[in-house]
Amino acid sequence: MAQRYVRVQDREGRVYYGLLQLSQSVQVLDAPPWLQGQPTDLQLEPDSYRLLAPCAPSKIVAVGKNYTDHAAEMGTPVPHEPLLFLKPPTSVIATDGTIHYPPQSQRVDYEGELALVIGERAFDCVPEQAQAKIWGYTIANDVTARDLQRQDVQWTRAKGFDTFCPLGPWIVRELNPGALLQTFVNDNTQPVQFARIDEMVFPPDFLVSYISQVMTLLPGDVILTGTPFGVGPLHPGDRVVVAIEGIGRLENTITIRQPGRSH
Ligand code: MG
């Protein structure tokens, strides 16, 4: 199994980066691994921590309509260039975290996606330089209030709610280019989304290069590479799983947001 890089919180609230062992213990690192974090003597036992999102990005840059059949289901062509938008860092939650269904929306959709984690500062890279800026890969759910996306001129509100960016459960460094992405809702064994990640129109190195020509990407920043065909609604009480071969499963439940409560 590939090495799994995690970020965890212990019972005292301390946050660590680490390596997840097969025993489920965590070997703590002294810094984020993309900043050359080295193993320490500290080991966390399996019942003494909880998984956080595997990085804490300064920004999440997302790409819309990057799979041909998804663009078609949205009734639009694939853009000639990547279509970028931002999700705020406050939208991030970990695997097993709860997606809060906001009162402003009557239609909240899942969007299973491959996420890239940036390892070093990147500005104005060509694609040949960009691959080296990608430190690893994880899974994201680009949760979207579809009715607000259609209603608003741009997507900040629809994509930006707290809890609308489940991320994790961990980062791996290598990924098979043809890895399968699947999304499942509740106990259905048939996936609602099913695609190979190399079906994306603009590949990871192109996306990193393109984005770096606009804004500086910082270590720990995250890029969401777009969702394939099959987006659909979530309802309070649902459980949604996004799985990518060679990474793992990102699993979250949905509840109605309580007035005045953040996540
Ligand atoms: Mg998306």
Side-chain angles (χ1 to χ4, degrees):
M1 178 180 284
Q3 188 65 261
R4 297 170 294 177
Y5 293 85
V6 294
R7 191 168 145 264
V8 299
Q9 185 169 41
D10 71 9
R11 291 203 192 98
E12 284 72 48
R14 289 177 293 235
V15 174
Y16 301 103
Y17 289 85
L19 298 167
L20 183 61
Q21 311 294 311
L22 287 176
S23 64
Q24 305 301 313
S25 297
V26 171
Q27 174 80 59
V28 170
L29 303 176
D30 60 8
W34 42 90
L35 299 180
Q36 287 72 52
Q38 297 300 312
T40 68
D41 292 336
L42 182 58
Q43 181 129 330
L44 303 176
E45 296 308 314
D47 57 353
S48 69
Y49 67 85
R50 68 182 182 96
L51 287 176
L52 302 175
C55 56
S58 80
K59 57 188 167 297
I60 300 140
V61 188
V63 181
K65 300 173 187 166
N66 198 24
Y67 288 80
T68 305
D69 48 3
H70 170 63
E73 76 176 332
M74 302 304 285
T76 54
V78 171
H80 295 298
E81 295 180 63
L83 175 62
L84 303 183
F85 60 95
L86 290 166
K87 286 172 87 80
T90 42
S91 64
V92 173
I93 59 171
T95 194
D96 294 330
T98 302
I99 299 165
H100 290 176
Y101 204 110
Q104 296 95 324
S105 177
Q106 277 75 53
R107 172 71 191 243
V108 172
D109 281 6
Y110 56 80
E111 291 190 3
E113 306 197 8
L114 172 68
L116 316 176
V117 179
I118 297 298
E120 61 181 64
R121 190 180 181 92
F123 179 73
D124 207 8
C125 295
V126 296
E128 294 73 37
Q129 300 167 307
Q131 185 63 42
K133 307 293 186 184
I134 301 171
W135 193 84
Y137 304 90
T138 188
I139 306 170
N141 191 341
D142 176 20
V143 180
T144 303
R146 194 69 70 200
D147 50 352
L148 304 183
Q149 184 186 28
R150 295 217 161 96
Q151 181 181 327
D152 294 355
V153 176
Q154 43 67 45
W155 303 354
T156 302
R157 189 165 65 131
K159 301 278 194 178
F161 285 97
D162 281 14
T163 75
F164 270 27
C165 191
L167 193 67
W170 41 69
I171 299 167
V172 300
R173 299 221 57 191
E174 302 289 336
L175 194 61
N176 179 342
L180 191 60
L181 182 158
Q182 298 179 91
T183 305
F184 300 89
V185 178
N186 296 324
D187 294 324
N188 299 326
T189 53
Q190 284 293 105
V192 288
Q193 294 188 290
F194 181 97
R196 299 202 179 272
I197 57 173
D198 59 5
E199 293 170 23
M200 68 176 68
V201 177
F202 302 107
D205 57 348
F206 186 91
L207 293 175
V208 169
S209 168
Y210 185 88
I211 296 164
S212 80
Q213 291 163 39
V214 180
M215 63 188 90
T216 301
L217 291 165
L218 300 176
D221 279 355
V222 169
I223 294 169
L224 307 191
T225 57
T227 201
F229 177 82
V231 297
L234 295 168
H235 304 285
D238 282 351
R239 184 165 46 82
V240 59
V241 175
V242 184
I244 298 181
E245 260 179 334
I247 306 180
R249 291 160 56 90
L250 172 68
E251 182 163 348
N252 299 92
T253 53
I254 295 86
T255 62
I256 292 176
R257 191 175 83 189
Q258 299 302 312
R261 269 193 55 197
S262 180
H263 63 282

